[in-house]
Amino acid sequence: NSFEPCDFVLFGTLGDLSRRKLLPSLYQLEKAELLHPETKIIGVARQDVSTEDYKIEVRKNIEKFGDKDFCEETWARMEERLQYACVDMKNTESYQVFDSVVDAKRTMVCYLATPPAIYGDICRGLHSCNIIDSSVRVVLEKPIGHDLESSKIINDQVSEYFKESQIYRIDHYLGKETVLNLIALRFANSIFATNWDHNSIDHVQITVAESVGIEGRWGYFDDAGQMRDMVQNHLLQVLSLIAMEPPANLNADSIRDEKLKVLKALRPINLSNINESTVRGQYTSGFVKGEEVPGYLEEEGANTRSRTETFVAIKADIDNWRWAGVPFYLRTGKRLPTKVSEVVIYFKRQPHNLFGDSFQNLPPNKLVIRLQPDEGVEITVMNKVPGLTSSGSMDLQKSKLDLSFSEAFSEERIPDAYEKLLLEVMLGNQALFVRRDEIEQAWNWVDSILEAWKHTNEPPEPYQAGTWGPVDSIGLLARANRSWYESK
Ligand code: BG6
């Protein structure tokens, strides 16, 4: 990896993702002096605006979506790097402008923050002006396809012009500090490394709950649903990191090879096991954090007959030696009571009870990894309550060993996932990006579930906004005498 200057070309620079996340993240990298002094940022969009007006627009976005303490000095440095290029992305002739804005001798990073439907056009356009060589990197945002077939089409279009080693597919969960910490936690601590399998673990829960609804994105969301929007990518990536075998090293392909093996070992869910393995729901009106919110079918622009799911719970099984008999329960939904992402590892119960009838059901140890917010790691353990008793018996109580990131690392600011990922692209490190075979394997598993849902032809189960999803999601665990972890 090297810290070298590059031409960072941001396609779709006036769009929502660029405004909310990408430009504020570049500003943070600037602030932390992590951009090479000679790196240039070239914003590309269809609109005809001057570089001067573009700079004003970027500044406004950073003030709105970035740091509370806007730093003039940082901005002065960043502003110097900015340039705007008006390109009609579907028209190859329009790409001639690149002759004058990029320097063929430098590394070029092309970030495609545009609808995936035009990824192919952009690659063709770049090719037409002869600026693609082996040093060019291309960054793709999700969704890469709607199913396996359409994702193959997009990947084929891009790979006509770029080799896999040049393609960086974003899953922003892989840039989150706490998701990366899963690797440290598992492999830098022998206490976990040696207890990480079916001998010690009873089951795993992964919850990614959101309190927001679909935030004005009805058109996109209704076509996707929570399964494509969250499970196919973020939840399966987190699951892979938890379940993978130790990679030989932290090189991109070592990690991605191991994640792929997990995805390949996921037991297919199809018509034969769909009802016992999945629950899908759709929110109705209710109260979230004290505020009254409309139901999914009452959102602006809604098709009132939509059967799109806004909640999914799945019992996933990984058919390999390490995880035999250890279910991974996944749950994600919109308009749940709070925003929280966490992984909970439930360890097995003790084989024998020394503590008498009152402790018949000693609770299992749990490792709770809070990915967001209040990032941290917590272990529940049983302790003796201090003190003397006339019977001489021992009283036990559950307590927590709690590591809060904000307390333990109070000096450190937790960077946004995009800051980390943008930096990694500029350094040329693909470890935190998703390889084509991973994406396709994930689609393969997800497609089978979507197909089975289509066949059963049942509507999603309604759940009131502000609750933890449909009642059946409780049943999914209760059948095996288990229950969802109650988030703080
Ligand atoms: C995006 C989804 O990928 O992730 C959104 O498209 C979702 O629907 C978002 O809200 C959640 O990301 P985070 O970082 O807020 O957990």
Side-chain angles (χ1 to χ4, degrees):
N1 301 350
S2 61
F3 188 53
E4 51 173 13
C6 68
D7 286 336
F8 185 91
V9 186
L10 180 53
F11 288 86
T13 194
L14 300 176
D16 211 46
L17 181 72
S18 298
R19 292 172 44 236
R20 282 172 188 271
K21 292 284 184 188
L22 304 178
L23 291 161
S25 295
L26 287 167
Y27 163 85
Q28 286 300 344
L29 293 179
E30 179 80 82
K31 197 170 186 182
E33 300 187 3
L34 288 167
L35 293 180
H36 189 284
E38 282 155 38
T39 284
K40 282 204 278 173
I41 301 170
I42 299 136
V44 175
R46 226 175 355 168
Q47 289 84 333
D48 188 10
V49 290
S50 67
T51 289
E52 282 324 298
D53 287 345
Y54 174 62
K55 289 181 179 177
I56 294 170
E57 186 62 26
V58 174
R59 179 182 174 131
K60 262 198 271 170
N61 289 320
I62 293 171
E63 282 174 334
K64 184 163 173 201
F65 299 110
D67 247 359
K68 282 178 200 73
D69 319 313
F70 183 81
C71 168
E72 291 292 348
E73 206 186 313
T74 304
W75 170 249
R77 278 187 279 134
M78 179 167 177
E79 191 184 25
E80 281 295 299
R81 304 177 188 274
L82 292 175
Q83 196 178 345
Y84 181 79
C86 165
V87 176
D88 171 1
M89 292 174 225
K90 290 188 173 174
N91 175 1
T92 41
E93 278 164 31
S94 178
Y95 289 76
Q96 298 308 331
V97 63
F98 282 105
D99 287 344
S100 56
V101 293
V102 298
D103 181 343
K105 293 190 291 299
R106 287 149 52 100
T107 298
M108 177 162 81
V109 173
C110 296
Y111 197 118
L112 312 194
T114 65
I118 60 168
Y119 288 173
D121 295 316
I122 297 176
C123 295
R124 197 171 322 109
L126 291 168
H127 173 74
S128 74
C129 57
N130 276 329
I131 48 172
I132 301 184
D133 63 23
S134 60
S135 73
V136 178
R137 298 170 200 153
V138 63
V139 188
L140 308 182
E141 261 297 333
K142 76 170 247 266
I144 300 192
H146 190 256
D147 52 17
L148 177 60
E149 205 185 317
S150 52
S151 92
K152 280 188 176 166
I153 294 174
I154 296 173
N155 280 322
D156 282 346
Q157 286 170 341
V158 176
S159 62
E160 223 177 285
Y161 305 100
F162 293 96
K163 291 200 289 284
E164 184 63 30
S165 59
Q166 296 175 272
I167 305 174
Y168 292 69
R169 295 182 193 80
I170 294 255
D171 183 312
H172 79 279
Y173 269 58
L174 292 181
K176 289 186 190 274
E177 281 292 324
T178 42
V179 173
L180 295 176
N181 192 41
L182 290 172
I183 298 180
L185 208 60
R186 282 195 57 191
F187 303 119
N189 297 288
S190 59
I191 173 179
F192 298 131
T194 52
N195 283 306
W196 210 259
D197 62 13
H198 65 99
N199 289 311
S200 308
I201 294 178
D202 177 74
H203 73 282
V204 176
Q205 298 183 11
I206 303 174
T207 294
V208 178
E210 299 183 85
S211 54
V212 293
I214 35 119
E215 297 185 294
R217 299 186 302 162
W218 219 89
Y220 156 75
F221 188 85
D222 196 56
D223 208 28
Q226 196 72 352
M227 188 72 174
R228 294 186 175 93
D229 189 45
M230 298 293 288
V231 179
Q232 189 272 345
N233 35 71
H234 310 322
L235 275 92
L236 287 184
Q237 283 296 323
V238 172
L239 175 143
S240 308
L241 289 174
I242 296 167
M244 71 180 181
E245 294 302 312
N249 51 48
L250 293 183
N251 293 347
D253 279 334
S254 304
I255 296 182
R256 300 189 296 180
D257 286 347
E258 296 308 333
K259 286 195 293 163
L260 178 67
K261 283 186 212 158
V262 174
L263 295 170
K264 283 188 172 167
L266 280 172
R267 185 180 305 163
I269 297 178
N270 47 37
L271 264 185
S272 70
N273 55 355
I274 188 81
N275 288 334
E276 69 203 48
S277 311
T278 69
V279 175
R280 56 194 209 115
Q282 192 184 66
Y283 63 84
T284 58
S285 59
F287 286 84
V288 180
K289 296 180 173 167
E291 195 193 317
E292 187 165 12
V293 298
Y296 181 66
L297 301 181
E298 297 142 17
E299 296 274 7
E300 209 185 316
N303 158 12
T304 52
R305 295 216 303 248
S306 168
R307 288 181 156 198
T308 297
E309 79 288 349
T310 61
F311 175 97
V312 184
I314 302 177
K315 171 180 171 283
D317 292 284
I318 301 173
D319 283 331
N320 65 16
W321 194 278
R322 182 182 288 268
W323 297 114
V326 182
F328 280 62
Y329 294 100
L330 316 179
R331 153 175 85 155
T332 178
K334 309 272 187 235
R335 288 288 188 224
L336 301 188
T338 185
K339 178 176 174 77
V340 63
S341 300
E342 60 200 359
V343 175
V344 186
I345 314 283
Y346 279 76
F347 289 93
K348 288 204 158 147
R349 290 178 189 277
Q350 291 65 17
H352 175 64
N353 178 18
L354 295 180
F355 302 98
D357 287 350
S358 47
F359 296 103
Q360 200 82 57
N361 290 316
L362 276 183
N365 294 119
K366 287 190 285 282
L367 168 65
V368 182
I369 306 164
R370 281 192 309 273
L371 303 178
Q372 62 184 18
D374 305 329
E375 293 82 351
V377 179
E378 181 182 297
I379 302 179
T380 59
V381 287
M382 294 302 286
N383 283 289
K384 177 186 177 304
V385 179
L388 309 174
T389 57
S390 58
S391 64
S393 67
M394 214 191 264
D395 281 347
L396 301 181
Q397 188 177 302
K398 191 168 74 177
S399 31
K400 289 174 181 168
L401 305 177
D402 198 353
L403 165 74
S404 150
F405 278 26
S406 61
E407 283 166 25
F409 307 107
S410 56
E411 303 290 299
E412 314 286 335
R413 168 183 164 272
I414 298 187
D416 185 83
Y418 277 101
E419 293 169 36
K420 174 75 179 162
L421 296 176
L422 288 174
L423 183 61
E424 293 292 298
V425 181
M426 289 191 235
L427 292 172
N429 180 9
Q430 283 188 306
L432 302 182
F433 298 85
V434 190
R435 211 166 55 188
R436 175 170 183 163
D437 46 11
E438 287 180 79
I439 297 247
E440 296 188 352
Q441 196 59 42
W443 272 125
N444 193 37
W445 190 73
V446 162
D447 276 1
S448 163
I449 299 178
L450 292 168
E451 191 57 32
W453 279 343
K454 212 156 100 193
H455 267 86
T456 57
N457 201 23
E458 280 165 24
E461 212 184 310
Y463 64 96
Q464 206 181 355
T467 65
W468 283 101
V471 186
D472 276 1
S473 71
I474 299 171
L476 190 71
L477 276 74
R479 252 177 267 144
N481 270 332
R482 298 180 176 122
S483 54
W484 291 105
Y485 177 75
E486 281 182 33
S487 299
K488 279 202 221 171

